[in-house]
Amino acid sequence: MALSISVVILAFNEEESLEAVIDEIESVLQRIGRDYEMIIVDDGSTDDTGAIADRLARENLRMQVAHHAINKGLGEAYRTGFAVAQRDLITFFAADGEIPAATIKEFTPLMDVAHMVLGYLPRRNASL
């Protein structure tokens, strides 16, 4: 039996991109054909990210939202994602859409045989 996947979406003030990123991720997950869940971690957003996330979760039984009352940073958002995730495998995506959801399909066969799979952006144009 194929391993199931938890996809944690890290969101801080991503009201403009969140819904499109969720749609893209879910489309890839449906094509993979494994059991999955999506978890949005709203890291204390001050825009409508939390409300959008709550609406998306009400519309999709495979989705849930964890809210931080204030921004706690990336490390705490990761910890929250690990704590909430219930499937066999866990992967993380930023809600800004910087990393294409198609990487899930590329990494999934590797995750079946390795304890950890790490990706990177080889030609990233942003400063460290």
Side-chain angles (χ1 to χ4, degrees):
M1 176 162 51
L3 298 174
S4 59
I5 304 171
S6 293
V7 178
V8 179
I9 300 100
L10 308 168
F12 176 69
N13 290 345
E14 298 293 349
E15 67 184 5
E16 293 182 15
S17 60
L18 181 61
E19 193 159 2
V21 168
I22 294 295
D23 288 346
E24 179 186 6
I25 290 170
E26 184 156 44
S27 175
V28 170
L29 290 169
Q30 288 174 347
R31 286 195 306 271
I32 290 172
R34 295 177 183 223
D35 180 38
Y36 68 89
E37 68 176 348
M38 294 182 291
I39 302 156
I40 301 170
V41 178
D42 172 26
D43 191 22
S45 296
T46 57
D47 64 1
D48 285 334
T49 297
I52 293 168
D54 288 338
R55 176 181 53 79
L56 293 170
R58 283 191 304 273
E59 297 170 356
N60 187 334
L61 296 177
R62 293 180 180 259
M63 184 177 301
Q64 59 182 306
V65 182
H67 294 279
H68 292 169
I70 59 170
N71 182 266
K72 295 182 177 186
L74 191 56
E76 190 63 30
Y78 277 116
R79 282 188 285 279
T80 298
F82 279 119
V84 174
Q86 297 293 309
R87 299 304 188 266
D88 300 313
L89 305 170
I90 303 173
T91 187
F92 291 84
F93 279 83
D96 62 5
E98 179 180 17
I99 298 175
T103 59
I104 298 171
K105 187 174 183 180
E106 296 172 32
F107 283 3
T108 302
L110 301 171
M111 292 188 296
D112 286 338
V113 296
H115 293 289
M116 181 180 287
V117 177
L118 300 173
Y120 70 97
L121 298 174
R123 292 184 185 88
R124 186 174 179 166
N125 292 327
S127 67
L128 293 176

